[in-house]
Amino acid sequence: MKKLGIIGCGWLGKHIAEHLSDRYEIFATTTTEAKLDGLKSKGYQAFLVKFPDEPHAEMEQWEVASGLDAIIIAVPFSGLRGTKIPMTGKRQNLLRFIGDFKGQLFYTSSTGIYPDTEKEFTEDDQPAEQVESESFILEKFPQANILRLGGLMGGDRLLKNYNISNLDQLVNHIHYADICSVIEKMLDSRSVSKVYNVIAPVHPNKEEVINAQKGLPYSGTRTDTGRIISPEKMISELNFKFQYPDPQYFHR
């Protein structure tokens, strides 16, 4: 059985681990002791690892890294769209932890790297080498795949559960099940150095999504004007078929 490392096994990391645990031995890190037992109870090799904001000279290389076939980095290393948060030390600690890993590597970035502008964005609009929160990983690991994830939804994460403003704003969401499938396809095809927008291809507005999740009718008209992140590159190159293409139906 191949070995998969998940650095930052939180909400998304757990879904990825569950999806792949029948084919991969899972090695997972968490920042809280309370979560260790839960990960171990699922049969995963679990490690308590924190990445301080300041450079940590005692941060050692992950002892299992050299034996892993692939690593998924699911720890946030960037701020919200439009904010500048100094994370140089935290990033250095991550790089030191991974060491000189040569295998397949995935880095979960965010569509927050695109500006808040009414436009349809593709990966070419923001080359990873020019995005601070992505380039740091590519400089040391040029084989890294950058996954720009939309708003993480599915399961207990539904738009109707949040206090939402700007209801006419189009959504760029992705169901966790499709993220898992994207990663599985890329693992199988041994993808390297790819940059993909991982987004559901349908972009309703927030009110449409909330009404659908509440079982209410929507009387408005769908528009294609707004900030839209395109997944077409990923769909084409991976021949990808979404399980949940429309955020209106993520709750089903």
Side-chain angles (χ1 to χ4, degrees):
M1 184 175 279
K2 291 185 177 181
K3 298 179 178 181
L4 174 67
I6 301 177
I7 299 176
C9 201
W11 184 85
L12 177 60
K14 288 179 185 176
H15 284 299
I16 295 170
E18 290 170 5
H19 184 78
L20 296 169
S21 59
D22 62 336
R23 299 176 50 198
Y24 288 83
E25 184 179 359
I26 303 296
F27 296 76
T29 79
T30 178
T31 58
T32 58
E33 288 193 33
K35 295 179 180 178
L36 273 178
D37 289 340
L39 294 174
K40 291 178 180 178
S41 70
K42 293 181 178 293
Y44 309 153
Q45 300 289 328
F47 303 80
L48 182 65
V49 181
K50 298 182 180 181
F51 299 99
D53 292 335
E54 299 299 324
H56 190 50
E58 297 181 2
M59 176 65 72
E60 298 181 354
Q61 180 176 337
W62 199 9
E63 62 265 34
V64 302
S66 61
L68 299 176
D69 295 284
I71 291 177
I72 299 168
I73 302 168
V75 178
F77 285 93
S78 61
L80 295 173
R81 185 166 65 249
T83 64
K84 293 291 184 181
I85 299 178
M87 290 195 176
T88 304
K90 191 174 183 179
R91 292 169 185 166
Q92 288 177 0
N93 292 329
L94 171 72
L95 297 177
R96 187 177 290 124
F97 183 67
I98 300 174
D100 59 351
F101 183 68
K102 305 298 185 187
Q104 203 176 7
L105 188 63
F106 296 82
Y107 176 73
T108 59
S109 182
S110 165
T111 55
I113 61 99
Y114 297 108
D116 191 7
T117 305
E118 288 194 358
K119 175 186 173 179
E120 182 170 5
F121 289 97
T122 70
E123 292 83 352
D124 291 339
D125 288 308
Q126 293 278 18
E129 294 78 11
Q130 298 176 20
V131 177
E132 182 191 20
S133 59
E134 297 175 349
S135 61
F136 85 97
I137 200 82
L138 291 174
E139 288 171 2
K140 185 172 182 182
F141 302 102
Q143 81 271 28
N145 297 298
I146 307 293
L147 304 182
R148 294 172 174 171
L149 306 181
L152 303 179
M153 293 291 170
D156 57 350
R157 285 197 179 190
L158 296 174
L159 206 58
K160 70 174 183 177
N161 296 334
Y162 299 91
N163 185 18
I164 301 298
S165 58
N166 302 320
L167 292 178
D168 60 342
Q169 191 175 64
L170 303 185
V171 303
N172 293 282
H173 289 170
I174 182 70
H175 194 288
Y176 71 79
D178 284 317
I179 299 174
C180 294
S181 296
V182 167
I183 291 174
E184 182 177 22
K185 260 187 170 283
M186 294 179 73
L187 284 167
D188 290 346
S189 62
R190 303 297 303 162
S191 299
V192 295
S193 306
K194 298 294 185 180
V195 179
Y196 290 140
N197 294 331
V198 184
I199 298 286
V202 181
H203 303 274
N205 67 32
K206 294 176 182 177
E207 186 176 3
E208 284 182 84
V209 175
I210 292 170
N211 283 20
Q213 291 172 354
K214 290 183 175 181
L216 300 174
Y218 175 71
S219 58
T221 302
R222 177 170 294 188
T223 175
D224 57 2
T225 301
R227 178 177 177 271
I228 294 176
I229 315 300
S230 171
E232 290 307 315
K233 177 184 175 185
M234 181 197 74
I235 293 171
S236 174
E237 294 189 3
L238 296 180
N239 190 27
F240 189 75
K241 302 290 189 298
F242 284 85
Q243 184 177 348
Y244 294 94
D246 190 338
Q248 287 187 93
Y249 307 112
F250 280 7
H251 60 295
R252 294 185 178 178

